[in-house]
Amino acid sequence: MATAAAHQTHGTEERRAATAAYEQAFDTAVAADERIEPRDWMPDAYRATLVRQMAQHAHSEIIGMQPEANWITRAPSLRRKAILMAKVQDEAGHGLYLYSAAETLGTSREELLDKLHSGRQKYSSIFNYPTLTWADVGAIGWLVDGAAITNQVPLCRCSYGPYARAMVRICKEESFHQRQGYELLLALSNGTPEQHEMAQDAVNRWWWPSLMMFGPPDDESAHSAQSMTWKIKRHSNDELRQRFVDICVPQAESLGLTLPDPDLKWNEERGHYDFGPIDWTEFKEVLKGNGPCNEQRITQRRRAHEEGAWVREAAAAHAAKHSDRTGARQA
Amino acid sequence: MTNTDWPLWEVFVRSRRGLSHTHAGSLHAPDAEFALRNARDLYTRRGEGVSIWVVPSTAITASSPDEKDPFFEPAADKPYRHPTFYDIPEGVKHL
Ligand SMILES: [Fe+2]
Ligand SMILES: [Fe+2]
């Protein structure tokens, strides 16, 4: 009995030493800007953080298809329709890149979708706002995809290899998303007074929610510091938000549209634009599920999954039948 | 029957003739034929490829990252396998 206990203690100590060595190798790799790959040892919390972030990111891509797909059948021209379909299809692709990257961490596709459908994992709050007019498609491309790009470009250097690689692919594709939105808004802004008004109204509604996409202010951001140490994140929320504002102001001028913020003005001293306070109560409400479209988005997602079940079943049945036949022929 | 019953496939894309296939990512599909079609839609929407391979992920045997150092060690102490190892007098050409 005593010997067994001694052995056990010895084993635990050995394991602890091994873990410490692994931990050190991990820290060294991250500090040296090396990438962590799926089969490398990693701290449990690092893995959990990545799964949470990548899942939320993947969910955002596929939920984000809904507000825009809402306008596909009503696109004003064949050109715009083809563009919008390509864009929405890209977002589906982004979701798939990210789901498979998340799966390298040991979670499964089914588990991820299940957590989305049951509300245990989140998606970006921005997609809980409605697309009321055609101009919203433009505002989403310019501002929402624009904010996403600002967030995502640094993620191409994220310490986790599969995530960084997925982001490289995504960022390449996002540029078209932003440009088509900008072009669409420009056409409306230069159109009839009603069209101009429609574009302005869309920008008025999407501006603030887009700024919220960068997450809570730095002093309230729960996971930021640790994610920065792990090099999952490279810049703080406020830093990226400022970068986005600075990019957007001149772009809005070229559009002939105004950003709905009376406090927006160049600060010579800082070398940045100052902007007004963000309504974080609204952000928290939408996050809690009280946004205009939370219910609709998740209901639609669940329904799409359920209604697509027969396709998945039929494909699996076809595959099984086919492999039986090839099996029989080979035998 | 759900999506997870579909096996995982690794996708390799040849971006143009003369180059080898490179790993692009992975996807789920019920069989090889679907995997190819899904791979086309997922990884070559902008003419990124002229040829695609799909391989069941389970068919891949990988070296373990744990044995990274000992496994690749034999190559580490053989600098004479590199051309820069050799001292050649200056002025000698085409060498
Ligand atoms: Fe996307
Ligand atoms: Fe996008």
Side-chain angles (χ1 to χ4, degrees):
Chain A
M1 231 15 227
T3 339
H7 266 290
Q8 219 160 16
T9 323
H10 187 62
T12 318
E13 256 163 43
E14 235 167 50
R15 234 173 296 135
R16 212 174 287 143
T19 307
Y22 281 138
E23 205 153 1
Q24 177 148 33
F26 172 86
D27 289 343
T28 312
V30 169
D33 248 337
E34 274 183 41
R35 297 291 176 267
I36 304 302
E37 295 295 342
R39 297 180 351 131
D40 289 337
W41 184 92
M42 60 187 89
D44 290 342
Y46 176 81
R47 188 185 296 273
T49 300
L50 276 171
V51 169
R52 183 175 45 79
Q53 183 174 335
M54 289 162 79
Q56 175 165 342
H57 198 158
H59 299 331
S60 302
E61 299 284 354
I62 63 164
I63 293 286
M65 295 165 74
Q66 291 184 33
E68 293 188 279
N70 179 35
W71 281 94
I72 289 178
T73 55
R74 292 170 289 165
S77 69
L78 205 51
R79 177 178 181 269
R80 293 288 177 199
K81 187 173 184 168
I83 291 169
L84 186 53
M85 284 203 294
K87 192 214 184 242
V88 171
Q89 192 190 4
D90 271 357
E91 304 301 3
H94 296 175
L96 292 176
Y97 303 153
L98 288 163
Y99 281 126
S100 47
E103 282 172 89
T104 62
L105 291 163
T107 169
S108 74
R109 184 74 53 99
E110 189 186 34
E111 193 184 333
L112 292 168
L113 287 176
D114 194 51
K115 283 185 174 160
L116 168 63
H117 296 156
S118 60
R120 277 175 296 160
Q121 280 173 348
K122 298 202 177 311
Y123 55 89
S124 175
S125 282
I126 192 80
F127 301 116
N128 290 319
Y129 291 88
T131 39
L132 302 178
T133 72
W134 168 251
D136 288 33
V137 173
I140 289 182
W142 176 40
L143 296 173
V144 176
D145 287 87
I149 292 171
T150 307
N151 256 330
Q152 289 171 356
V153 166
L155 282 174
C156 296
R157 294 186 298 124
C158 159
S159 60
Y160 188 57
Y163 193 22
R165 290 192 287 277
M167 289 321 304
V168 169
R169 201 172 273 282
I170 288 175
C171 284
K172 271 189 205 156
E173 300 183 349
E174 285 296 348
S175 159
F176 135 60
H177 298 178
Q178 196 187 18
R179 289 175 66 115
Q180 65 83 34
Y182 193 84
E183 191 206 63
L184 192 166
L185 279 181
L186 189 64
L188 289 176
S189 179
N190 293 338
T192 64
E194 290 81 5
Q195 288 173 325
H196 180 90
E197 191 37 52
M198 194 199 270
Q200 183 61 58
D201 169 63
V203 169
N204 291 349
R205 283 181 289 110
W206 288 94
W207 173 248
W208 290 107
S210 299
L211 292 192
M212 296 175 196
M213 282 175 71
F214 296 93
D218 293 349
D219 46 12
E220 285 169 37
S221 178
H223 311 285
S224 266
Q226 182 57 263
S227 286
M228 300 269 267
T229 321
W230 279 331
K231 295 191 181 168
I232 294 173
K233 246 178 114 123
R234 298 278 181 164
H235 308 280
S236 78
N237 295 354
D238 287 332
E239 215 178 320
L240 291 169
R241 189 168 10 247
Q242 181 70 62
R243 187 179 295 180
F244 179 66
V245 171
D246 291 346
I247 289 171
C248 286
V249 174
Q251 289 179 346
E253 276 165 26
S254 300
L255 277 175
L257 298 172
T258 52
L259 296 171
D261 180 358
D263 297 329
L264 201 59
K265 62 167 185 298
W266 179 251
N267 183 326
E268 191 65 52
E269 210 171 298
R270 293 201 308 127
H272 292 290
Y273 284 92
D274 288 338
F275 54 96
I278 293 171
D279 181 3
W280 292 110
T281 332
E282 174 182 325
F283 177 77
K284 279 170 199 151
E285 278 306 305
V286 179
L287 204 62
K288 258 196 270 170
N290 302 326
C293 301
N294 296 57
E295 189 62 39
Q296 181 190 338
R297 298 291 183 241
I298 211 69
T299 306
Q300 162 85 3
R301 174 88 269 286
R302 278 197 217 113
R303 198 177 70 211
H305 190 70
E306 281 155 21
E307 288 178 358
W310 72 271
V311 179
R312 296 190 293 277
E313 281 161 21
H318 176 266
K321 199 165 131 191
H322 194 77
S323 80
D324 279 353
R325 252 190 248 143
T326 16
R329 225 181 297 138
Q330 273 163 356
Chain B
M1 188 126 339
T2 62
N3 205 19
T4 35
D5 294 318
W6 290 5
L8 193 65
W9 302 76
E10 299 303 322
V11 179
F12 298 83
V13 175
R14 184 203 294 288
S15 57
R16 57 189 163 82
R17 303 181 76 84
L19 296 180
S20 47
H21 288 74
T22 311
H23 186 237
S26 52
L27 51 77
H28 289 276
D31 60 23
E33 206 179 310
F34 267 108
L36 268 183
R37 283 169 189 276
N38 291 353
R40 179 201 57 191
D41 292 345
L42 190 55
Y43 292 106
T44 63
R45 285 197 301 284
R46 290 174 175 80
E48 293 95 331
V50 294
S51 163
I52 299 176
W53 291 345
V54 290
V55 181
S57 304
T58 49
I60 290 177
T61 308
S63 62
S64 157
D66 282 353
E67 52 191 32
K68 186 161 58 185
D69 292 335
F71 189 72
F72 294 105
E73 204 172 27
D77 60 350
K78 297 179 181 60
Y80 44 85
R81 282 175 171 168
H82 298 277
T84 46
F85 180 75
Y86 301 93
D87 291 325
I88 304 294
E90 233 169 86
V92 177
K93 286 186 176 131
H94 306 299
L95 202 66

